[in-house]
């Protein structure tokens, strides 16, 4: 095999003619040219167009290293006059028209970004830290275009928003529950952002959506009801129980403040060992203090000490313990085997909560009653927003691994590379 052909295989370039090579300041520079069928093409529409002019100085593209030696492709580019896009630089088969890196080089950078942080990738590939994000964006656009329409076959989807950049900004994520694949991600949250997702769907794709899982956000429910009237919204069990745990923690704080205010202030004890009978008796304040984890944890996960603390709360503060029992009864709703049992358990819980002496629990009962049908359907269908919450954790991990992203589009591209199951591989491997 000729040495030029071997070099083309090593550099992972196709439709390319290798003309010559040389070492320049410790770097390998390879002079190349597109094959005849790939010349004079518009980079936007790939249409063959007449030559407008030729560059006086050749352009270089960074390609894969050969061993420890940095390698570049060199070619004097042409400008063509496209009937649709005007005068533009002709495309080359080995790189994107707006990039100074070859496709193989960008593919390797993107694969590394999926598995390690951006600073390490920049150091390993010997490129600038700021160049990694745009590379991921170009690779994602190319792979997404080759993969086809990712909105086909949507039946059960999950919608949620997650924060990034120290929690001050948000992005909205849509996931396909059947494949576990993120199908859409965008900056911001709210009605207008979610409507932009449904605007991308055709009429057939909108009709195919049957189930939408989400939290209790009203803007999600309103947009789903408007754009997907045939779909039913399913309430996520985790968010429903978290509402109750937040209320339970607030009741615990109220109980501690009331007990502390009602407890008489004992005189300060003198120094030395206390005499017999002088030990302070256990009080209601002591029972409530330090019981947070005993109240919020699941009963099967309690330690022996937490179980003792919970029994003490039951003896000293009956109102707080009733609130704890309401939390456990709400969890039992999602343990039901069918929708009928879940509906009966939920209705019983709503009656008890609505007659509670605590206003915070009454308000929660009204909130849960508004989502009653969605909660029952979540038990019947056996779906939740757990996959979306897992993707949110991946997004936060991606931000931490990248030490922040200045461009939200680059962050979204990397999230899609990690969470949308696109077939990203290392160069030269299938």
């Amino acid at each position: 095999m000729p040495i030029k052909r071997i070099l083309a295989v090593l550099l992972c370039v196709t439709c390319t003619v290798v003309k010559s090579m040389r070492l320049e300041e410790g770097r390998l520079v390879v002079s190349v040219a597109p094959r005849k069928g790939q010349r004079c093409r518009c980079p936007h529409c790939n249409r063959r167009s007449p030559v407008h002019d030729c560059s006086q100085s050749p352009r270089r593209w960074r390609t894969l290293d050969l061993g420890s030696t940095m390698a570049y492709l060199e070619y004097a580019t042409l400008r063509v006059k496209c009937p649709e896009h005007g005068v533009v630089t002709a495309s080359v088969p080995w790189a994107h028209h707006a990039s100074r890196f070859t496709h193989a080089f960008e593919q390797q950078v993107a694969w590394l970004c999926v598995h390690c942080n951006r600073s390490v990738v920049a150091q390993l590939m010997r490129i600038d830290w700021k160049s990694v994000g745009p590379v991921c964006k170009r690779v994602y656009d190319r792979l997404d275009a080759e993969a086809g329409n990712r909105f086909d076959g949507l039946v059960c989807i999950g919608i949620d928003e997650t924060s990034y950049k120290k929690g001050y900004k948000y992005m909205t994520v849509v996931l396909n529950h059947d494949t576990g694949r993120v199908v859409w991600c965008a900056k911001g949250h709210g009605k207008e952002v979610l409507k932009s997702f449904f605007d991308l769907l055709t009429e057939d794709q909108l009709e195919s959506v049957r189930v939408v899982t989400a939290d209790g956000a009203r803007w999600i429910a309103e947009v789903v009801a408007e754009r997907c009237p045939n779909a039913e919204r399913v309430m996520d069990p985790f968010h429903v129980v978290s509402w109750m745990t937040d209320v339970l923690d607030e009741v615990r704080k109220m109980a501690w403040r009331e007990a502390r205010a009602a407890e008489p202030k004992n005189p300060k004890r003198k120094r030395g060992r206390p005499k017999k009978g002088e030990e302070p008796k256990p009080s209601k304040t002591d029972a409530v203090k330090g019981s947070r984890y005993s109240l919020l944890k699941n009963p099967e996960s309690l330690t022996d000490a937490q179980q003792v603390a919970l029994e003490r709360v039951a003896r000293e503060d009956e109102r707080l313990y009733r609130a704890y029992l309401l939390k456990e009864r709400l969890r039992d709703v999602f343990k039901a085997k069918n929708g009928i049992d879940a509906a009966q358990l939920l209705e019983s819980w709503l009656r008890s909560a609505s007659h509670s002496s605590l206003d915070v629990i009454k308000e929660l009962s009204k909130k849960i009653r508004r989502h009653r049908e969605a909660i029952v359907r979540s038990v019947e269908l056996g779906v939740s927003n757990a996959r979306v919450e897992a993707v949110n954790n991946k997004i936060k991990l991606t931000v931490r691994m990248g030490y922040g992203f200045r461009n939200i589009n680059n962050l979204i591209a990397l999230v899609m590379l990690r969470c949308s199951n696109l077939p990203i591989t290392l160069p030269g491997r299938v």
Side-chain angles (χ1 to χ4, degrees):
M1 183 181 291
I3 187 64
K4 293 181 179 180
R5 178 59 183 162
I6 295 176
L7 188 60
V9 173
L10 292 176
L11 297 177
C12 294
V13 292
T14 58
C15 302
T16 304
V17 178
V18 177
K19 294 184 175 181
S20 63
M21 55 185 141
R22 68 183 186 275
L23 280 175
E24 186 177 300
E25 298 179 356
R27 301 175 180 180
L28 179 65
V29 180
V30 182
S31 297
V32 296
R35 289 185 180 177
K36 186 176 181 180
Q38 300 294 324
R39 297 176 186 173
C40 304
R41 291 189 176 273
C42 175
H44 304 289
C45 60
N46 202 34
R47 178 187 302 177
R48 291 184 66 92
S49 305
V51 177
H52 181 74
D53 58 15
C54 180
S55 175
Q56 298 297 325
S57 58
R59 179 180 295 183
R60 290 184 179 180
W61 291 263
R62 176 75 185 282
T63 187
L64 296 173
D65 296 346
L66 290 181
S68 60
T69 304
M70 298 174 64
Y72 292 85
L73 300 185
E74 186 178 70
Y75 172 66
T77 57
L78 305 173
R79 289 203 303 171
V80 297
K81 190 173 184 180
C82 177
E84 182 179 354
H85 300 97
V87 178
V88 292
T89 302
S91 64
V92 291
W94 55 81
H96 188 271
H97 70 276
S99 174
R100 291 301 182 92
F101 305 107
T102 63
H103 290 312
F105 187 89
E106 292 187 337
Q107 190 89 353
Q108 182 162 322
V109 170
W111 187 91
L112 289 171
C113 278
V114 171
H115 296 86
C116 55
N117 69 65
R118 190 162 55 160
S119 298
V120 172
V121 175
Q123 183 177 4
L124 176 64
M125 300 303 293
R126 292 185 282 190
I127 58 177
D128 187 70
W129 180 80
K130 299 178 182 178
S131 301
V132 178
V135 167
C136 294
K137 180 69 168 62
R138 287 191 291 268
V139 172
Y140 165 69
D141 292 339
R142 183 168 67 250
L143 293 177
D144 184 52
E146 296 172 356
N149 195 333
R150 61 183 182 274
F151 300 132
D152 290 338
L154 292 180
V155 177
C156 182
I157 64 174
I159 303 173
D160 198 8
E161 75 276 0
T162 184
S163 62
Y164 68 98
K165 205 169 184 179
K166 295 185 179 179
Y168 295 112
K169 297 184 179 180
Y170 290 85
M171 64 172 63
T172 304
V173 180
V174 179
L175 179 136
N176 186 350
H177 282 291
D178 298 326
T179 61
R181 173 185 178 184
V182 175
V183 296
W184 186 79
C185 187
K187 176 183 177 182
H189 70 294
K191 288 185 179 181
E192 298 303 322
V193 176
L194 188 56
K195 286 180 180 179
S196 63
F197 162 71
F198 288 108
D199 290 339
L200 299 175
L201 305 183
T202 63
E203 292 296 331
D204 294 338
Q205 291 169 344
L206 288 172
E207 292 179 359
S208 67
V209 178
R210 297 299 180 186
V211 178
V212 178
T213 65
D215 55 17
R218 292 187 178 182
W219 58 271
I220 296 179
E222 293 174 359
V223 174
V224 170
E226 177 184 351
R227 296 300 181 91
C228 290
N230 297 329
E232 53 182 339
R233 188 177 61 88
V234 175
M235 192 66 199
D236 181 46
F238 171 80
H239 287 87
V240 177
V241 177
S242 67
W243 294 343
M244 184 61 212
T245 55
D246 292 341
V247 170
L248 178 59
D249 196 42
E250 183 62 30
V251 173
R252 180 190 62 84
K253 295 176 184 178
M254 292 168 52
W256 185 87
R257 289 192 292 264
E258 292 175 0
R260 184 63 180 269
E263 185 179 78
K265 293 184 179 180
N266 297 325
K268 189 175 181 180
R269 188 175 62 82
K270 297 181 180 180
R271 297 178 62 183
R273 186 186 299 274
K275 296 180 181 180
K276 186 176 181 180
E278 288 186 358
E279 291 84 356
K281 297 181 180 180
S283 63
K284 185 177 180 180
T285 305
D286 297 332
V288 177
K289 184 178 180 180
S291 63
R292 181 172 186 267
Y293 293 105
S294 302
L295 294 169
L296 299 184
K297 285 179 68 174
N298 298 335
E300 61 273 13
S301 303
L302 293 175
T303 63
D304 293 339
Q306 291 170 345
Q307 184 66 42
V308 171
L310 183 61
E311 293 173 357
R312 189 176 178 185
V313 170
R315 293 193 304 267
E316 299 292 340
D317 196 320
E318 182 181 357
R319 186 177 61 175
L320 178 58
Y321 189 69
R322 287 201 303 267
Y324 166 78
L325 294 179
L326 281 175
K327 187 261 292 186
E328 291 304 318
R329 287 175 58 187
L330 185 60
R331 290 182 64 240
D332 292 339
V333 173
F334 299 102
K335 296 179 183 178
K337 297 181 179 180
N338 52 64
I340 297 177
D341 294 342
Q344 293 175 352
L345 291 172
L346 182 58
E347 189 62 32
S348 174
W349 185 93
L350 288 172
R351 285 197 300 268
S352 300
S354 61
H355 290 82
S356 173
S357 59
L358 296 170
D359 293 336
V360 289
I361 295 182
K362 289 182 179 179
E363 291 298 323
L364 177 62
S365 67
K366 296 177 182 179
K367 183 177 181 180
I368 292 181
R369 189 177 292 276
R370 292 197 299 267
H371 301 282
R372 182 182 179 280
E373 295 182 2
I375 293 173
V376 174
R377 286 298 291 165
S378 70
V379 177
E380 292 176 349
L381 299 175
V383 295
S384 67
N385 236 23
R387 288 181 181 270
V388 186
E389 296 296 335
V391 169
N392 291 345
N393 289 334
K394 283 188 177 182
I395 293 174
K396 296 182 185 302
L397 178 62
T398 300
V399 175
R400 290 197 298 271
M401 289 177 62
Y403 295 101
F405 282 81
R406 297 182 180 180
N407 191 319
I408 181 61
N409 294 326
N410 297 339
L411 173 60
I412 291 174
L414 185 54
V415 169
M416 295 298 291
L417 285 175
R418 283 184 171 171
C419 306
S420 61
N421 299 332
L422 288 174
I424 178 172
T425 57
L426 286 170
R429 304 185 189 182
V430 180

